[in-house]
Amino acid sequence: MTRRFTQLDDVWPAGFGRRLGAMIYDSLLLLAIWIVITTLHVVVVRQVLGMAPEQVGQGAAQVFSLRLLLVAAAFGFFAYFWRRGGMTLGMQSWRLRVQTQDGGPISLTQTMIRFAVGAIGFVPLGLGHLWVLFDGQKRSWSDIASNTQVVVLPKRDKPAR
C-alpha cells in the first residue's frame, strides 16, 4: 500500500520566495556537509596515500573523486529527506513539501530527475527555478520534469494552555 501525505486539501502551490528561503537554508547545510567531506578527502590524500602538501588537489583522480563525493553527498542529502517525508530541513522551516501530483511521496526515479533538472536549472542564470514566477501552476523545471509539486503546508494550530 502506498503511503500518502496528510493535509492534502489544505495545501497550495509554493511561490518563489518560500522556495528561495528553503534553498538558502539547505545550501548552508549542504555547505557544512561538503566542508566535512572535503576535509576527510584531504586527510585521506595526505595521511593514507602519503602525498606531500604540494600534491594535494593535483591530478585528475583527486579532482574527480572529490567532485564525485560532493555530488553524491548532495544527492544523498536531498534523496534522504525528499523520500523520507517530502521535506528537507530548509523546507520544514518554510513549511514546504515535495509530493506527487496525487499527494504521495515521490519515487526514487522522481528524486533523481528532480535533482538532475534542479542542478541544470541553475545553469541558465537560475531560469529553471525562476520559472515558478512564469508558470501558472507555480512549477519549476524540476517539478515539470519529475511530475511533482512543491506545496505550502498550513500552520499547525497551537494547543491551548
Side-chain angles (χ1 to χ4, degrees):
M1 182 172 168
T2 304
R3 184 180 93 226
R4 288 182 52 88
F5 292 126
T6 59
Q7 300 173 312
L8 296 179
D9 296 331
D10 300 330
V11 300
W12 60 93
F16 181 71
R18 283 183 181 271
R19 288 175 183 245
L20 181 61
M23 278 191 255
I24 291 169
Y25 189 108
D26 286 335
S27 67
L28 294 173
L29 294 171
L30 192 55
L31 179 63
I33 293 168
W34 282 353
I35 289 170
V36 170
I37 289 171
T38 303
T39 301
L40 292 174
H41 190 269
V42 170
V43 167
V44 167
V45 167
R46 289 276 292 123
Q47 301 300 323
V48 176
L49 300 179
M51 291 191 174
E54 308 83 43
Q55 294 176 316
V56 174
Q58 302 295 317
Q62 287 185 59
V63 172
F64 178 75
S65 64
L66 180 58
R67 287 181 183 173
L68 184 63
L69 286 170
L70 296 178
V71 169
F75 176 74
F77 173 84
F78 288 108
Y80 173 77
F81 286 108
W82 287 342
R83 298 268 300 135
R84 183 172 170 259
M87 296 182 267
T88 61
L89 296 173
M91 292 172 80
Q92 288 176 27
S93 298
W94 288 90
R95 297 189 342 263
L96 300 178
R97 178 176 65 209
V98 63
Q99 62 187 28
T100 61
Q101 296 295 331
D102 64 350
I106 67 175
S107 68
L108 183 58
T109 302
Q110 288 174 309
T111 301
M112 289 187 282
I113 293 169
R114 278 190 69 79
F115 181 77
V117 175
I120 292 167
F122 281 111
V123 174
L125 302 175
L127 183 60
H129 298 280
L130 290 170
W131 198 254
V132 172
L133 298 170
F134 307 110
D135 187 82
Q137 297 175 24
K138 296 185 178 178
R139 298 174 300 171
S140 68
W141 289 356
S142 56
D143 296 328
I144 296 167
S146 65
N147 197 28
T148 59
Q149 61 183 347
V150 177
V151 295
V152 180
L153 301 173
K155 288 184 179 179
R156 291 185 188 168
D157 292 333
K158 293 184 179 180
R161 290 187 172 197

